Amino acid sequence: MRGRGPRDGSPRGGVVEAGIPPQERVDFLPLPEPIFYLHYYGFGRLPDDPCLQEQILNFARSADFLRDMPRASAKRLLASPDRAGLCEEDLAGFLKILFSEITRRMYIEAARKRPGAIGVQFSLTGSGHAAPEAMAVVSADAHGLGAGVYPFTHIPENSCPGAESPFVIRVVMKKGSD
């Protein structure tokens, strides 16, 4: 069978869950409670229900959340009988924001461990219509590393509560490092 994996259906090569070795997989995702609530209330399209908030926060911190992605996670949460009145689009939209925040944190943590990395550079995903707070993040040179470059000790948070981060993040290496 040309172009397919071994006969047992597994992929060819060393692909293991997006290339993350088993010893580096996490059981608990990095989502600080204050960041969750900042985005929850900034999003504003979900009810002010402490039980729902706790359920979403706990689910978004579980490793299953990365596997399921936001849409499937919303469907899974809505399968609970006490969540029948929630709008799937709103819940999926909020989970997409959390997914973005979690993966951003994981990317920055991985960059921090990379030999020769001195920080990260923030640039905008789109051009033209960025909020003034986002423009300030990408244009500031508060640490003498260049516009939008931040050392790992001073990483800015998403400047748009309740919305996906408008930034693309790139690892910045010390000169002469690869």
Side-chain angles (χ1 to χ4, degrees):
M1 301 193 121
R2 202 167 170 205
R4 297 186 64 187
R7 291 189 190 275
D8 68 0
S10 63
R12 265 193 284 187
V15 178
V16 178
E17 291 190 27
I20 302 169
Q23 68 274 16
E24 293 184 24
R25 292 184 195 138
V26 296
D27 295 322
F28 185 77
L29 299 177
L31 180 61
E33 198 168 310
I35 297 301
F36 171 84
Y37 286 107
L38 179 74
H39 285 294
Y40 192 90
Y41 290 113
F43 185 71
R45 295 193 316 243
L46 295 172
D48 189 8
D49 175 350
C51 291
L52 173 63
Q53 293 165 354
E54 184 177 348
Q55 185 181 18
I56 294 172
L57 177 60
N58 289 336
F59 186 78
R61 285 177 165 172
S62 75
D64 290 342
F65 182 53
L66 285 183
R67 184 198 68 224
D68 292 348
M69 305 290 282
R71 176 68 57 187
S73 295
K75 288 178 190 242
R76 197 167 174 199
L77 285 168
L78 289 172
S80 172
D82 58 335
R83 299 296 166 219
L86 285 176
C87 171
E88 182 180 325
E89 288 304 311
D90 289 344
L91 184 55
F94 179 63
L95 292 175
K96 190 174 178 184
I97 293 165
L98 296 182
F99 190 87
S100 173
E101 285 298 312
I102 290 166
T103 55
R104 179 177 88 86
R105 283 178 154 58
M106 293 175 80
Y107 179 81
I108 290 170
E109 186 57 33
R112 182 185 318 268
K113 295 174 183 175
R114 188 170 173 183
I118 61 170
V120 292
Q121 180 178 33
F122 288 76
S123 59
L124 294 171
T125 56
S127 59
H129 303 335
E133 298 86 2
M135 292 298 294
V137 168
V138 300
S139 61
D141 185 9
H143 306 283
L145 298 172
V149 180
Y150 296 84
F152 293 114
T153 56
H154 291 86
I155 302 292
E157 288 295 339
N158 177 348
S159 58
C160 305
E164 279 187 83
S165 177
F167 306 114
V168 172
I169 302 170
R170 182 178 72 79
V171 179
V172 177
M173 305 298 287
K174 182 172 37 177
K175 296 236 187 260
S177 296
D178 289 312

